[in-house]
Amino acid sequence: MNCDELDLDPPVRAALRRAGLKGVRDVLGVPAVDLQRQTGLFPQDVQRLLSTAAAAWRTRAPVPALQLGPGCGLESGLRLSVGCPLLDELLRGGLPAGGVTELCGQSGAGKTQLALQLCLTVQYPETHGGLQSGVLYVCTEDRFPIRRLQQLISEQSRLRPDVPPEVLSCLRFSDHVYIEHTADLDSLQLCLSRRARVLLARGLVRLLVLDSVAAPLRCEFQADDWLTRNKQLLSVSCSLQALSREFRVPVVCINQVTDVFSQSDETLGPSPSSLSPALGLAWANQVTVRLMMRRLSGTVSAGGQSSAPRRLEVLFAPHLARGGRGCAVWREGVRGVAEEEPGGGGGA
């Protein structure tokens, strides 16, 4: 849609032409502060411009996430267990079977470990917290950790003692993990539009994992290319949301974090609270659920194993209260750690 089609005052139209902003998409893709600087308009004129452009671009009224309708994953109550009762309690049963869930954190925090665990839990019957189907795992950064997946498969009886042995023996986990490697945005979009759609349409998968969403964008764009980057980011997020909505499946996107320093902070490094998910507000507005995995100092022990303590936190979600739960990465997978035993408690 062209900006000339909007109901705008002549001075505003002239300012848009001088700034070279012709389309409504161009206007909506620019932050208000930058839009004011480029056009020279007053703040109130910028706000009216954005409101007019958003109203014209929107084809239907916005719908709250909890009112999306049956089968959306939130209202229907269908959940994908993460494979641990304590973590499922934090998430009120697991990940919603619909919408985009972001799992962010520093390198080594355990994001990929939890994603691999989801690759297995999705294959369980619904009575045991799964969706009784496979997973498409899209790698954009590193090679798929196949050895760790095989280790998790061999340890499923320890991680899931609640599942009867006859059920476990019937599951062929490795046969239902579909792996794709995409090195750039073009191959990622091709994977989402073709490979993912075919697997979902045939019912072969009911979980899509993207590891990670930030890698291809960081490789292809410099800091001053933020406008083009945001357009590509919105294109990817639209594809992910469309697949989740059409096939009613959870989409998990692993994201990196950046350090945000405060001028009043006298420490030499970033504190845990100073970490912010990468890709900014443009991406945050596309996410239904945002989780963060933090790696803490110290050691926890259980069953002859030791691990660095972690904490899985809910940063925002339409159906969850903000909170967190201690956990650790064990040989059998990610398990919750009792909060009252921070120095040496057992897993659950």
Side-chain angles (χ1 to χ4, degrees), residues 77-89 91-97 114-132 156 159-160 162-163 207 250 252 334:
L78 187 60
R79 297 286 188 270
L80 170 60
S81 168
V82 298
C84 168
L86 289 178
L87 300 183
D88 282 340
E89 181 182 0
L91 303 175
R92 288 177 58 184
L95 303 184
L114 189 57
L116 290 175
Q117 192 159 302
L118 289 169
C119 292
L120 304 183
T121 59
V122 71
Q123 300 184 43
Y124 284 97
E126 290 187 16
T127 53
H128 295 290
L131 300 177
Q132 205 163 352
Q156 279 300 287
L159 180 70
R160 300 296 304 271
D162 58 304
V163 180
L207 171 65
V252 177
V334 182

Side-chain angles (χ1 to χ4, degrees), residues 22 45 62 76 79 90 92 129 148 208 223 235-236 249 252 257 293 302 312 318 331 334:
K22 299 180 180 180
D45 292 329
S76 66
R79 297 286 188 270
L90 171 68
R92 288 177 58 184
R148 176 55 174 159
L208 174 60
S235 177
V236 171
V249 297
V252 177
V257 293
M293 183 77 86
L312 180 64
R331 189 165 50 246
V334 182

